[in-house]
Amino acid sequence: MNLLRSRPALVALGATALLAATAAVPSASATPTRSAAAAGSIALDWYDTTAQTIAAAGATTQVTNSRTWAISWLAAARATRAVPSGVDRSEYRSAALASAVHDALAALAPARTEQLDAALQQTLDAIPDGPSEDKGVAAGSRQAELALKSREGDGLDPASVNAPYTVPAPAPGEWQPTPSAYAPATQYGNRLAKPFTLTSADQYRLPAPPALDSRRYKADLAEVRAYGAQNSTQRTAHQTETANFWLGSSLTLYTEPLRVAVDRAPRSDAERATLVALFHVALVDTQIATSDSKYAHTRWRPVTAIRTGSIDQDPDWTPLHNTPAHPDYPSGHNTYSGAAEGVLDALAGPSTAPFQVSSPTAPGVTRTYTTWHQLTVENVDARIYSGIHTRSADEAGVTLGRNVAGQTLRTADRLLRSL
């Protein structure tokens, strides 16, 4: 079976039912209001506000920023899931979503409180005053407070994420700090953090990477040596562009694709909040699971293997891009893409109308996609063309990400219950 083409069909069916459970069902006597006429627009407004908040005041560690998304939108999904009697459904949900995301973001990024207060006021000005708005605001505030409390001390602050790691003694296959900075290991602390839905960080720990004397490992190393070298004569201009395009933060690169899905797929603010919440919950847990497998196997990076290993040693070999300071197996970019694809396939469908994505690490380049799977395929190749991962590490990463996404979707009903 081609792991990059399999589809978690049963999970997708369950996820479709989950979104259906949050869909708006207006009564026959309901009259249109300005908030109902723009159903779903509040979610997009607050999606953009969240992205702007993290861009301006986010943490130095990606998983911490993923946590901010997850807490804020999980609070919103919980607050909008059930609607009390005697209120307008759309007005209540719009107020609840805005209140939940506002309060969570203000607590997690206090430097942006002024901007967040202004955004909340703008949302509330568009909702008629009355019990629907009042009860929605109260529900959102309560769920934000409870979501924040439930994640206190979860080990995903920057200092905990980059907890000290003792580097193993040099040996064939063992990770060592890499040129040019030879920086200390990062992200070790992720594996010690508290997940949202995983029973433990090692729940989906990957099996060991290919043995150093295996045919697969030799093929992996030969591929990255040829296509990932700084001065490669095998890598095409388009392949170099692919490496540059996917070089940056996965959180940044997937912000626009997720927004496309939020805009196009679900029908209501409640459904959209659910999609954003489950996406980022899955991605927090994926980053925890990634670090568990990385530091369980401590596989050296290609640059170390090529410069010091026993297979065609080349002390001068240099990758196209600097190697990140953590082990090779699995690739974090690809665990991210695997989890993202799993959630988007299940909740938004595997394909959509063409959409464009740009990248801060490839200025002026815009790429067009029609499936979430295309993003995954490019991520797999990109890390090889960058010279920083083997194909085995990339493909194992996709598998791990998909496993964690499946766990998130299977446990979503319990996760989304109001606290």
Side-chain angles (χ1 to χ4, degrees):
M1 176 185 294
N2 184 338
L3 292 176
L4 294 182
R5 295 185 180 179
S6 61
R7 289 278 182 266
L10 294 177
V11 169
L13 288 173
T16 301
L18 172 69
L19 283 183
T22 66
V25 185
S27 65
S29 60
T31 57
T33 66
R34 48 189 165 155
S35 57
S41 63
I42 299 300
L44 286 172
D45 290 343
W46 281 93
Y47 185 94
D48 293 339
T49 297
T50 307
Q52 292 159 7
T53 298
I54 290 174
T60 55
T61 45
Q62 176 176 273
V63 72
T64 310
N65 293 325
S66 296
R67 173 187 185 267
T68 297
W69 275 97
I71 291 173
S72 303
W73 285 82
L74 189 54
R78 288 167 174 165
T80 57
R81 196 175 190 205
V83 179
S85 60
V87 301
D88 179 276
R89 180 185 297 270
S90 179
E91 292 170 6
Y92 172 88
R93 282 179 162 166
S94 292
L97 186 152
S99 174
V101 178
H102 166 273
D103 286 15
L105 288 178
L108 296 169
R112 297 287 292 179
T113 298
E114 182 179 351
Q115 293 87 347
L116 292 166
D117 287 350
L120 179 60
Q121 189 60 55
Q122 183 176 359
T123 297
L124 297 181
D125 285 346
I127 302 171
D129 294 338
S132 300
E133 180 185 66
D134 294 343
K135 291 183 179 182
V137 168
S141 293
R142 173 171 171 74
Q143 290 305 319
E145 179 183 3
L146 293 172
L148 287 162
K149 186 175 180 58
S150 72
R151 298 302 300 182
E152 287 179 354
D154 61 8
L156 290 169
D157 58 284
S160 298
V161 166
N162 289 324
Y165 172 70
T166 301
V167 178
E174 285 288 345
W175 181 82
Q176 299 293 305
T178 52
S180 58
Y182 295 95
T186 60
Q187 301 180 15
Y188 174 73
N190 281 359
R191 70 195 303 244
L192 310 176
K194 173 186 173 183
F196 279 89
T197 68
L198 296 177
T199 58
S200 63
D202 64 355
Q203 182 177 355
Y204 294 105
R205 180 179 291 175
L206 292 165
L212 299 183
D213 60 354
S214 67
R215 181 177 299 177
R216 176 61 191 266
Y217 176 75
K218 292 174 182 177
D220 281 346
L221 201 61
E223 181 181 32
V224 73
R225 181 197 299 271
Y227 288 92
Q230 188 178 72
N231 59 354
S232 172
T233 59
Q234 301 296 314
R235 189 180 58 245
T236 67
H238 186 267
Q239 289 168 339
T240 300
E241 180 187 284
T242 298
N244 291 332
F245 191 90
W246 291 102
L247 180 61
S249 155
S250 292
L251 178 66
T252 299
L253 288 163
Y254 271 87
T255 296
E256 187 59 29
L258 176 58
R259 192 188 191 282
V260 169
V262 171
D263 186 30
R264 294 180 180 180
R267 298 183 298 276
S268 70
D269 280 335
E271 291 173 291
R272 288 173 168 180
T274 296
L275 171 55
V276 178
L278 294 182
F279 182 97
H280 284 288
V281 163
L283 268 303
V284 170
D285 281 7
T286 294
Q287 290 170 85
I288 291 172
T290 298
S291 288
D292 173 76
S293 281
K294 278 183 178 288
Y295 286 99
H297 299 302
T298 60
R299 173 52 63 91
W300 60 6
R301 287 281 188 158
V303 64
T304 308
I306 294 171
R307 288 189 176 191
T308 68
S310 61
I311 303 174
D312 299 329
Q313 187 180 114
D314 181 356
D316 297 322
W317 189 88
T318 300
L320 174 64
H321 293 133
N322 282 335
T323 300
H326 40 78
D328 177 58
Y329 182 88
S331 158
H333 268 58
N334 282 289
T335 60
Y336 199 107
S337 63
E341 182 185 348
V343 173
L344 292 172
D345 274 7
L347 300 185
S351 61
T352 186
F355 65 94
Q356 293 185 325
V357 178
S358 59
S359 167
T361 53
V365 176
T366 300
R367 291 193 164 189
T368 302
Y369 305 94
T370 57
T371 71
W372 319 116
H373 179 62
Q374 290 171 292
L375 309 179
T376 303
V377 171
E378 287 194 8
N379 262 290
V380 169
D381 289 339
R383 308 311 270 173
I384 297 163
Y385 302 150
S386 286
I388 58 181
H389 275 301
T390 60
R391 187 169 293 276
S392 288
D394 293 341
E395 293 182 349
V398 174
T399 297
L400 178 58
R402 284 195 175 144
N403 286 341
V404 177
Q407 168 79 9
T408 302
L409 294 167
R410 287 190 298 272
T411 59
D413 187 66
R414 182 173 72 249
L415 178 73
L416 293 170
R417 290 174 191 158
S418 297
L419 298 178

